């Protein structure tokens, strides 16, 4: 349940685009290493995007970064429109980076995780599952080492607010992290044959209930800052805990992004 603390307007270069690419296995089996400049990085707009951009602004040959809207439907529409408007750019891989909520006591505030898979959770029912690309996920984990752990993700159509519901979802579906865009991103790039994986940093724990954030995003996945302020004010203690946790997690998000793109490591096959 990623949270955006401030709205941010992102202007991208329309000379970039996504084109059909080789199959997932051929992309990396033919490459000597993952080149960061050929990756496409997706980050929820707002504070998460700012944390990621701040980490890589000074590196040579940075990857293309897009600030995406929040939620499965909004991000799917955004990606389809972006692709139609930009038909020539070929990405060797895609990494979705942002915050997420814990569904397990084993994964606490600030823990970075790589999502091996995402289960679609829609209208209180779970159906299809999408897998992250194995080689790209291995590359991420080699780069980040002990700073990251592998989990199974649940992509929800709404922010999970109650601690009791988080605990129940974690147990019912054997999932450790909940977020709102992963399944849609994996599905979209699977159709294009482009490898994709997901990195999340825990911003709220499984035992932590949140303020009612159900109305802070519009149908386009954009934050309503007034609605956010109102929601935080109605539950000041929970709101304070969420802000403190988010700030800590954003700092870690910045740190792991900087480490991820500090140098190039050859992806390992298992």
């Amino acid at each position: 349940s990623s949270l955006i603390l401030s709205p941010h307007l992102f202007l991208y270069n329309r000379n970039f685009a996504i084109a059909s690419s080789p199959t997932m296995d051929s992309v990396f089996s033919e490459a000597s290493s993952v080149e960061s400049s050929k990756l496409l990085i997706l980050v929820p707009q707002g504070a998460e995007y700012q944390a990621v951009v701040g980490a890589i602004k000074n590196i040579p040959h940075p990857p293309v970064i897009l600030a995406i809207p929040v939620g499965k439907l909004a991000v799917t529409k955004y990606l389809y429109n972006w692709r139609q408007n930009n038909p020539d750019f070929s990405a060797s891989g895609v990494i979705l980076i942002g915050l997420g909520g814990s569904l397990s006591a084993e994964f606490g505030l600030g823990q970075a995780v790589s999502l091996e898979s995402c289960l679609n959770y829609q209208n209180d029912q779970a159906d299809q599952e999408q897998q992250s690309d194995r080689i790209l996920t291995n590359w991420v984990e080699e780069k980040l080492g002990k700073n990251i752990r592998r989990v199974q993700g649940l992509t929800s159509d709404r922010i999970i607010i109650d601690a009791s519901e988080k605990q129940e979802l974690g147990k019912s579906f054997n999932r450790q992290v909940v977020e709102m865009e992963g399944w849609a991103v994996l599905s979209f790039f699977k159709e294009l044959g482009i490898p994709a994986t997901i990195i999340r940093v825990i911003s709220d724990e499984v035992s932590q209930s949140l303020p009612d954030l159900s109305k802070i995003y519009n149908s386009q996945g954009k934050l309503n800052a007034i609605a956010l302020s109102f929601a935080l004010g109605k539950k000041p203690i929970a709101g304070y805990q969420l802000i403190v946790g988010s700030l800590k997690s954003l700092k870690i998000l910045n740190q792991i992004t900087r480490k991820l793109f500090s140098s190039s490591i050859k992806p390992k096959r298992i």
Side-chain angles (χ1 to χ4, degrees):
S1 52
S2 61
L3 174 70
I4 297 176
L5 296 178
S6 61
H8 182 83
L9 179 63
F10 175 68
L11 301 177
Y12 61 87
N13 188 334
R14 290 184 176 270
N15 292 326
F16 290 115
I18 299 175
S20 296
S21 294
T23 62
M24 291 185 182
D25 284 342
S26 68
V27 169
F28 292 126
S29 63
E30 295 173 1
S32 61
S33 65
V34 173
E35 297 181 49
S36 64
S37 62
K38 295 184 179 180
L39 292 174
L40 180 65
I41 309 303
L42 306 180
V43 191
Q45 57 192 337
E48 291 160 274
Y49 170 78
Q50 293 168 6
V52 170
V53 169
I56 65 175
K57 61 183 179 182
N58 294 323
I59 69 169
H61 312 296
V64 176
I65 304 178
L66 296 181
I68 61 172
V70 172
K72 289 181 288 186
L73 295 178
V75 74
T76 298
K77 181 178 179 180
Y78 172 87
L79 289 173
Y80 273 111
N81 289 338
W82 189 79
R83 184 187 178 220
Q84 289 178 352
N85 292 334
N86 305 273
D88 301 321
F89 174 73
S90 180
S92 64
V94 176
I95 303 178
L96 170 61
I97 305 178
L99 304 182
S102 178
L103 298 179
S104 168
E106 187 177 351
F107 299 92
L109 185 67
Q111 175 66 56
V113 295
S114 60
L115 275 59
E116 184 174 38
S117 68
C118 283
L119 181 65
N120 186 35
Y121 186 66
Q122 184 84 20
N123 298 323
D124 296 329
Q125 294 183 339
D127 47 30
Q128 296 177 314
E129 183 180 62
Q130 292 287 356
Q131 301 289 326
S132 292
D133 180 73
R134 175 173 54 86
I135 299 174
L136 188 55
T137 303
N138 289 344
W139 176 80
V140 166
E141 292 176 347
E142 281 198 42
K143 291 282 291 183
L144 298 180
K146 64 181 181 180
N147 295 315
I148 194 165
R149 298 176 63 186
R150 186 175 297 198
V151 300
Q152 309 299 322
L154 185 73
T155 302
S156 176
D157 60 346
R158 58 185 172 84
I159 298 175
I160 307 301
I161 295 170
D162 294 329
S164 58
E165 185 177 10
K166 293 183 191 178
Q167 295 162 9
E168 180 62 30
L169 289 173
K171 293 176 182 178
S172 298
F173 301 115
N174 191 26
R175 301 279 141 171
Q176 295 78 47
V177 172
V178 62
E179 45 85 82
M180 297 180 67
E181 299 85 27
W183 184 87
V185 168
L186 294 179
S187 299
F188 181 84
F189 288 102
K190 182 180 180 180
E191 292 183 6
L192 300 180
I194 298 177
T197 194
I198 302 167
I199 300 171
R200 295 288 187 181
V201 176
I202 301 299
S203 60
D204 54 279
E205 298 186 331
V206 66
S207 60
Q208 178 183 351
S209 290
L210 307 178
D212 184 0
L213 305 175
S214 59
K215 298 179 180 179
I216 68 171
Y217 296 110
N218 64 19
S219 60
Q220 286 77 46
K222 294 185 178 181
L223 178 71
N224 183 326
I226 296 176
L228 173 60
S229 298
F230 183 74
L232 296 177
K234 287 190 68 175
K235 298 274 187 166
I237 296 177
Y240 174 78
Q241 291 175 335
L242 181 60
I243 291 172
V244 171
S246 295
L247 291 175
K248 177 180 178 180
S249 300
L250 288 168
K251 183 177 180 180
I252 295 174
L253 187 67
N254 176 278
Q255 293 170 350
I256 66 169
T257 301
R258 185 179 297 111
K259 184 172 183 179
L260 186 66
F261 295 105
S262 61
S263 62
S264 183
I265 294 178
K266 183 183 295 185
K268 180 186 293 185
R269 282 190 170 278
I270 297 177

